Amino acid sequence: QLLSLASFGLFHLLMYFKNLFFSEFKPIAEKLTGIVPVSSSEEEEVLDPSGETLSIVAKFQPLLMETMTKSKDGFLGISHTALSGLRNWTAPASPLSVIFARQFKAFLPPKNKLELADPWWIIPSELNIFTGYLPNNRFYPPAPKGKEIIIHKLLSMFHPRPFVKTRFAPQGAVACIQAIAEFYYKIAFRIHAEFQLNEPPQFPFWFSPAQFTGYIVLSKDSSHVREFKLFVPNNRSLNVDMEWLYGALENSNMEVDIGYLPQMELESLRPSVPSVIYDENGNVIDSRDPEGEPIQFIFEEITWQREISWEEAVSRIEVAMYPFKKVSYLPFTEAFDRAKSESKLVHSILFSPILAFLNQSFISTWSLVKELEDLQVNSKLADLHLEKYNFPVEIMICLPNGTVVHHINANYFLDITSVKPEEVQSSIFSFSTSFEDPSTATYLQFLKEGLQKAKPFLQA
């Protein structure tokens, strides 16, 4: 064990571990020493060996490297080892997995969430936009506990190092009932998780899909799973965020990029079936018929008594994770058409929970740079936005004709709101004592200044 530690380099280890909590250091030590105790949370999980099992298949197409912005200059200045974990990830870690149906009980609603479209947290988020983020210099996820276990087991089919809780808010998983039958639920869900693609002695590389979404049809006692599907949506031009460090310390230089992942999904092959089959006398019988073919099961058709659309379920879950999305967001060009018809300004990027003020005075939209670049040839609106854009996020207040009257970069916004109000020297963004946090006060001030700057144009 001492040799294995020495071969990695004690100084290198200390550089990595100095900022880690014990729960984060523990799996690294276990990896290096080869001593991996059974998780106490898994020991507590007692499953009936004769219960039903569900066969799940993983489908995976690797990230298209040419969709990364760094590909435009041939990944100039990026070491080959930094991207090795990404380049080598070409197939799922486990193409097929058999899981007990009872393990999916984590998806069942709590007793106070038995109505359609009423969301609940499967795995609660421990962070919000004001509480910071978890360390970047980590390699191995902590042992999952409770309802995290099934999520970790499923995501491990893609890659051996899934982090069930992301470094940034909102973390966790949210679900809601999409349909109800006499004995069954159809549950829609959304999961925010990420993967660590590198191991020591390389530096961390974080692979963060925009989201995992999906649904499960299971009995109300979780003894039977009729259908399961989990996937990363691929309907937008970019759907993965990537970040990698160039050093062992938390404040080491970091590269950031985005890209497109064509396919990342899990799907049940068929409904869950008993592990052991009994005859009418209670005797165990062979699972194959005399000709050697598997016994075929006949499943009753599920008649849904009440249900909502997939779109509504997705929307309810999204609002639970992002309360600010109670503000209606429109596609980019549609937002400007609506602004013209309603004589309102366009709020192009949202970073505030000031819902009433936004609904009253703005039409809100958000866009990826790649999407506006695709529109740029035929859209002056896109061109005007891109002229004002600075990495990574630019928030803009615009006239209905696309003229940007006010804007602020997200990095600057975070910088000026990360200090105490009395430390702010600039009068451009002043804090108000009527708000609990500087971010809210500063953003409200930004919106009001946008309105003020737009008045001469709207009155003309």
Side-chain angles (χ1 to χ4, degrees):
Q1 293 165 352
L2 287 174
L3 286 175
S4 65
L5 287 173
S7 65
F8 181 70
L10 182 59
F11 175 74
H12 210 167
L13 281 170
L14 290 172
M15 293 291 282
Y16 273 117
F17 301 158
K18 62 178 287 190
N19 295 319
L20 296 187
F21 296 108
F22 175 75
S23 61
E24 297 166 337
F25 172 79
K26 186 170 177 283
I28 303 177
E30 292 168 353
K31 178 81 172 181
L32 294 172
T33 61
I35 303 173
V36 183
V38 177
S39 167
S40 59
S41 57
E42 299 218 29
E43 289 177 335
E44 295 170 1
E45 189 72 23
V46 179
L47 298 170
D48 182 0
S50 63
E52 294 191 7
T53 59
L54 187 71
S55 296
I56 296 179
V57 63
K59 302 175 184 178
F60 179 82
Q61 295 181 43
L63 184 112
L64 301 180
M65 300 296 290
E66 64 271 19
T67 62
M68 295 176 65
T69 58
K70 302 291 190 298
S71 70
K72 294 179 181 179
D73 57 9
F75 297 101
L76 183 66
I78 300 177
S79 67
H80 182 76
T81 56
L83 301 180
S84 60
L86 177 64
R87 294 184 188 277
N88 294 335
W89 189 19
T90 59
S94 301
L96 178 67
S97 183
V98 178
I99 302 175
F100 280 103
R102 289 282 189 189
Q103 290 184 275
F104 290 90
K105 67 182 180 182
F107 289 91
L108 285 175
K111 293 181 180 180
N112 63 337
K113 296 288 183 179
L114 300 180
E115 294 299 319
L116 289 173
D118 189 6
W120 70 90
W121 289 86
I122 299 176
I123 301 174
S125 177
E126 296 176 351
L127 300 176
N128 59 55
I129 62 172
F130 305 117
T131 56
Y133 54 90
L134 299 180
N136 293 306
N137 57 336
R138 296 178 294 161
F139 290 100
Y140 304 106
K145 298 178 181 179
K147 294 179 180 180
E148 296 174 4
I149 294 175
I150 182 61
I151 305 296
H152 184 273
K153 184 184 292 288
L154 291 167
L155 296 182
S156 294
M157 293 182 65
F158 295 122
H159 192 277
R161 291 184 296 281
F163 281 71
V164 174
K165 289 184 176 178
T166 52
R167 291 161 296 146
F168 302 96
Q171 307 169 299
V174 174
C176 79
I177 298 176
Q178 185 185 346
I180 300 175
E182 184 177 3
F183 300 110
Y184 290 90
Y185 290 123
K186 183 175 184 179
I187 307 292
F189 59 83
R190 174 169 173 162
I191 301 167
H192 285 186
E194 55 190 348
F195 301 88
Q196 178 51 245
L197 303 193
N198 284 349
E199 289 187 280
Q202 298 170 349
F203 299 124
F205 186 107
W206 293 93
F207 186 93
S208 309
Q211 62 169 290
F212 293 91
T213 189
Y215 63 89
I216 181 171
V217 177
L218 77 168
S219 62
K220 293 182 178 180
D221 64 357
S222 76
S223 62
H224 177 68
V225 177
R226 182 61 58 89
E227 189 177 358
F228 177 84
K229 186 168 184 177
L230 172 152
F231 61 97
V232 173
N234 59 3
N235 58 324
R236 300 197 73 128
S237 57
L238 299 165
N239 59 359
V240 176
D241 175 78
M242 291 159 283
E243 300 174 359
W244 60 97
L245 296 178
Y246 277 118
L249 300 178
E250 179 64 22
N251 60 354
S252 298
N253 290 337
M254 173 181 283
E255 288 276 7
V256 179
D257 210 334
I258 47 181
Y260 179 71
L261 185 72
Q263 185 180 41
M264 190 177 196
E265 64 181 70
L266 303 177
E267 190 168 16
S268 54
L269 289 176
R270 62 187 70 85
S272 63
V273 295
S275 304
V276 181
I277 305 173
Y278 299 92
D279 62 16
E280 61 273 13
N281 298 318
N283 301 312
V284 176
I285 61 175
D286 197 337
S287 61
R288 296 182 178 273
D289 63 22
E291 284 74 35
E293 295 295 323
I295 292 177
Q296 298 297 312
F297 291 87
I298 299 175
F299 301 96
E300 78 278 15
E301 183 177 348
I302 299 175
T303 301
W304 299 113
Q305 299 168 338
R306 293 180 290 149
E307 60 183 314
I308 60 173
S309 68
W310 168 254
E311 290 74 19
E312 183 177 352
V314 167
S315 176
R316 293 298 185 96
I317 291 172
E318 188 173 47
V319 169
M321 284 192 138
Y322 300 98
F324 59 76
K325 291 221 167 183
K326 292 176 182 177
V327 173
S328 298
Y329 279 80
L330 303 176
F332 184 75
T333 53
E334 185 180 336
F336 285 88
D337 292 338
R338 176 80 69 84
K340 289 178 182 177
S341 65
E342 297 184 15
S343 297
K344 291 183 178 180
L345 300 179
V346 175
H347 174 244
S348 187
I349 300 290
L350 176 65
F351 203 97
S352 171
I354 311 170
L355 306 181
F357 188 59
L358 287 173
N359 277 324
Q360 176 183 353
S361 304
F362 298 89
I363 301 297
S364 296
T365 184
W366 67 273
S367 309
L368 296 172
V369 171
K370 178 66 166 59
E371 293 173 342
L372 294 195
E373 288 175 343
D374 293 340
L375 287 172
Q376 193 172 10
V377 176
N378 301 313
S379 173
K380 182 183 178 183
L381 299 176
D383 196 46
L384 290 170
H385 264 58
L386 291 171
E387 285 179 1
K388 300 293 185 181
Y389 171 75
N390 285 292
F391 182 86
V393 176
E394 196 74 26
I395 308 166
M396 309 179 199
I397 303 296
C398 318
L399 299 177
N401 65 7
T403 301
V404 179
V405 295
H406 199 28
H407 62 102
I408 183 173
N409 186 266
N411 282 344
Y412 177 63
F413 176 83
L414 292 174
D415 285 343
I416 65 174
T417 57
S418 63
V419 297
K420 298 177 181 178
E422 59 268 20
E423 295 175 349
V424 177
Q425 301 298 322
S426 171
S427 60
I428 298 176
F429 292 100
S430 59
F431 295 105
S432 169
T433 57
S434 61
F435 288 92
E436 294 182 358
D437 62 83
S439 297
T440 301
T442 302
Y443 203 74
L444 180 60
Q445 180 70 15
F446 165 71
L447 294 176
K448 289 181 176 179
E449 289 177 356
L451 282 174
Q452 192 65 31
K453 291 182 178 182
K455 277 185 179 180
F457 298 96
L458 297 176
Q459 294 171 352

